[in-house]
Each structure stands twice: as C-alpha cells, then as structure tokens.
C-alpha cells in the first residue's frame, strides 16, 4: 500500500536534512564492503542485497560521483582518494557506443575535476567529450542514443532525453566552438523531437524518413519528464532564452500533472509502482530554476516539499533506533533510499535502492543546506 504525500506538511528542518545526509554517508561504507570488485547496480527494497556489475553500465559513474560528493562534504583525503580510484575504473566506458557516456563521465569524472582539481579525472572527462563529439551525426543533428548500454540495434536511429543534462554539463567544461555547436544542435533537435507545446516530454524519438517521430505518450513516464526538466534547466543556464521558458513550462507541467509529491512511475498506469526518484530529479531542476526566475522561491519551496516527502516516507530509512542494543542494525539499515523504479528483469520493474538515486537525493539535500550549488549537479 502506498503512502500518499500532499503539499500541506511542514518542510524538513536544517537539522533533519543534515541527519539524512549523515546516515547516507555512513551507509556508503556498507555498500562499499559488498562490491570491492565491481560497481553496485541495485538492491531490492531495504534488503542490502546488491547486484554487482563489473563495468557498471551507465550507473557506474554515479558510484564514483557519490564518493566525490562524500569527499566534498567530509573533506577527507581518504574519501577523495576512494573517489579518484573509482573514477579511473570508468576508463573502459570511453569507447562505449552510447550517449549515456555523458552520465558516466559528467558525474563520475567532472565532479572530481571541479571540486578537487583531480588531474586524472579531468583527463577522463576530456577524453569522454572527444568520444561523444565524434559520435555526432550531422544527418540527424544529434548524438544518437547508440547501441550499447541498452540502446540495442536501433540505437543509432534513436534520440533520448535521459542524458541531456549531463551532456550539457560535461560539454560546458570546454569552451571550444566545435563542442558548443554540437551541443546546441543536439539540444535543439531533442527539444523539437521530444517536447510538446505544454512542456511534456517523450523519453525517446525514432529517426525515420528524414525526421524524428516521438515514441509513447508525452509526459507519462515520470523519470523521463524529470530528466527533461533537468536538461532544460541546464540549457537555460547555458543559453538563457528560449530554454528558460521551456524549462518553466516543463516544471509547470510536472506540478499540474502530478497531484502527489511522490509520483507514479507512469501516469498511464495508475495501478503501477510509484517512483520517488523522479521527484528527486524534478527537484534538482526546480532548485536550478529557482535561481533563474523572479518568482523562483515558489520552485525552491516545491522542491523542498518533494525532498521532505521522500526522507519522511517509507522509501527512506532514517535512523531506526537510538537504543544502544540496536546500534548495529541501525547503522546497517539507516540511510537507504529504495525509491528508484528499475527494470530488474526484462519483464519486471521493482522499487530498489540504486547509487544514482541515492547520489542525486544526497545532492538535493546538500543544495537545501547550501553545501553545494544547484548548477553543480
């Protein structure tokens, strides 16, 4: 049975947010103890039973990113070294045929360069930009999804919304005209192919007979809509209008189409799973938008409400008990965010704990207490 969260609850306090950050930081040690030889992909519910991937797929960069964020908070040299070591294990992903490399290397490498001036991380980010730029298709005016990381045999003819924010953030690190032109062309193509006039996003579009045809119902998939919002907020930071107007429309569509703070995974499946991780991504977009528009406080407030709903929900395990006899269990079970709707099998989706969901939630929490800026994620 789902817990419904409306907007009339009191926002989380500074102390409550700091407590959530603290238990998540502690929980990372337990995850790390289980996956020394690979990257953690997902763990069902609160089971602490992680599926480990040798390469990490598109998720691997978030494990490195989570450690970069931890090091940024703790100021620990050992945490920074851990993040750097994980970052270097991403090198094989450079040649992967997927635009989702931008997710891997923006979060997994560029944050190390930005926050710590980590030279190997900077090199990886630069290599990834070169590889992604080389994948640009002048015929379709975009960097296609690609055949790897789940793209499949039709991946060369697909454009996808998930990676737009990461691609913009990654390419922003280089000021060359070539990267700027590729990025602007890709962004405009994606908006034209996937975003309707109300700000609702199709997750993908297929290139056929000289133009892109959107797939599915616009705005129905909550995480796809949230990724679109985040991408537009990054485009607004980079170029201003008309992207700022697009970003506001997409955020308004989210707010008007989802009556609950923790939304359904798919609006066209009212009996399906919820996906709180979509609210995290949507909140990150709103926190960025809040700094760009005159009425920005409304977006900051709504984002704060969504994050509050998450950390007070069944999908986040805070500190379970202060009883000394239960200390070990409290440490192991605290700080789990199991609100990511994820395809654990080809025909099955489940709510799981993921490193990308937890990293993005902790980043949103850090923004709310001014540890990082919204445009750094």
């Amino acid at each position: 049975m789902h817990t419904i969260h409306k907007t009339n609850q009191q926002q989380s306090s500074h102390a409550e947010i700091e407590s959530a950050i603290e238990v998540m930081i502690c929980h990372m040690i337990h995850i790390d103890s289980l996956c020394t030889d690979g990257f953690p992909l997902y763990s069902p519910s609160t089971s602490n039973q992680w599926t480990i991937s040798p390469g990490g797929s598109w998720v691997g960069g978030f494990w490195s990113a989570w450690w970069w964020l931890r090091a940024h908070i703790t100021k620990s040299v050992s945490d920074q070294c851990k993040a750097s070591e994980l970052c270097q294990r991403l090198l094989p992903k450079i040649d992967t045929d997927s635009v989702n490399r931008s997710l891997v290397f923006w979060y997994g490498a560029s944050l190390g360069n930005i926050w710590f001036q980590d030279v190997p991380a900077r090199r990886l980010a630069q290599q990834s930009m070169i590889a992604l730029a080389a994948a640009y298709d002048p015929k379709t005016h975009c960097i296609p999804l690609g055949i790897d990381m789940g793209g499949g045999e039709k991946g060369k003819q697909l454009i996808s919304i998930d990676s737009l924010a990461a691609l913009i953030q990654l390419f922003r690190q280089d000021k060359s005209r070539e990267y700027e032109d590729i990025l602007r062309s890709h962004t405009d193509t994606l908006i034209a192919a996937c975003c309707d006039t109300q700000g609702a996003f199709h997750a993908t579009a297929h290139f056929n007979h000289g133009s892109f045809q959107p797939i599915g119902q616009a705005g129905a998939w909550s995480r796809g809509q949230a990724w679109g919002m985040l991408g537009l907020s990054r485009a607004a930071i980079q170029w201003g209008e008309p992207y700022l107007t697009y970003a506001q429309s997409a955020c308004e569509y989210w707010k008007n189409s989802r009556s609950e703070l923790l939304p359904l995974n798919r609006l066209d499946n009212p009996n399906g799973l919820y996906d709180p991780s979509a609210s995290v991504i949507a909140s990150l977009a709103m926190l960025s938008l809040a700094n760009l528009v005159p009425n920005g406080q409304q977006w900051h407030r709504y984002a704060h409400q969504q994050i509050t709903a998450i950390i007070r929900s069944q999908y986040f395990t805070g500190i379970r008990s202060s009883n000394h006899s239960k200390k070990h269990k409290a440490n192991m079970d605290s700080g789990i965010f199991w609100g990511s709707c994820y395809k654990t099998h080809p025909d099955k989706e489940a709510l799981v704990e993921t490193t990308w969901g937890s990293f993005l939630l902790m980043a949103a929490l850090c923004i709310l207490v001014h540890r990082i800026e919204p445009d750094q994620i």
Side-chain angles (χ1 to χ4, degrees), residues 280-357:
V280 176
I281 301 167
S283 295
L284 290 169
M286 292 174 184
L287 288 168
S288 289
L289 185 61
N291 288 343
L292 301 175
V293 296
N295 61 341
Q297 188 56 38
Q298 67 161 319
W299 294 114
H300 189 281
R301 183 167 53 251
Y302 198 79
H304 195 160
Q305 289 173 339
Q306 290 186 132
I307 298 302
T308 296
I310 288 170
I311 64 174
R312 292 179 182 169
S313 75
Q314 62 186 316
Y315 305 109
F316 183 78
T317 62
I319 299 174
R320 290 188 181 278
S321 174
S322 58
N323 188 304
H324 182 73
S325 65
K326 297 182 179 180
K327 184 177 180 181
H328 178 72
K329 180 173 177 56
N331 287 341
M332 181 175 292
D333 290 351
S334 299
I336 298 173
F337 173 48
W338 59 282
S340 300
C341 194
Y342 189 84
K343 188 166 284 189
T344 55
H345 298 285
D347 58 349
K348 180 183 178 182
E349 288 186 315
L351 280 166
V352 300
E353 181 183 11
T354 64
T355 51
W356 57 265

Side-chain angles (χ1 to χ4, degrees), residues 130-142:
I130 293 169
L132 282 160
Y136 178 78
D137 182 356
K139 178 183 176 182
T140 59
H141 305 289
C142 72

Side-chain angles (χ1 to χ4, degrees), residues 233-252:
S233 75
R234 300 305 180 248
I237 292 170
Q238 180 75 354
W239 300 300
E241 292 291 4
Y243 308 99
L244 181 57
T245 296
Y246 296 155
Q248 291 186 86
S249 295
C251 288
E252 289 285 359

Side-chain angles (χ1 to χ4, degrees), residues 69-89:
L69 181 56
R70 174 183 164 125
H72 186 68
I73 295 168
T74 65
K75 312 302 181 188
S76 165
V77 173
S78 63
D79 286 348
Q80 184 179 335
C81 289
K82 174 69 176 181
S84 185
E85 183 269 326
L86 289 170
C87 175
Q88 293 310 300
R89 284 164 50 189

Side-chain angles (χ1 to χ4, degrees), residues 14 20 54 58 143 146 152 159 212 214 220 226 326 344 346 365:
H14 187 101
W58 64 271
I143 302 174
I159 191 170
F212 277 105
K326 297 182 179 180
T344 55
L365 292 166

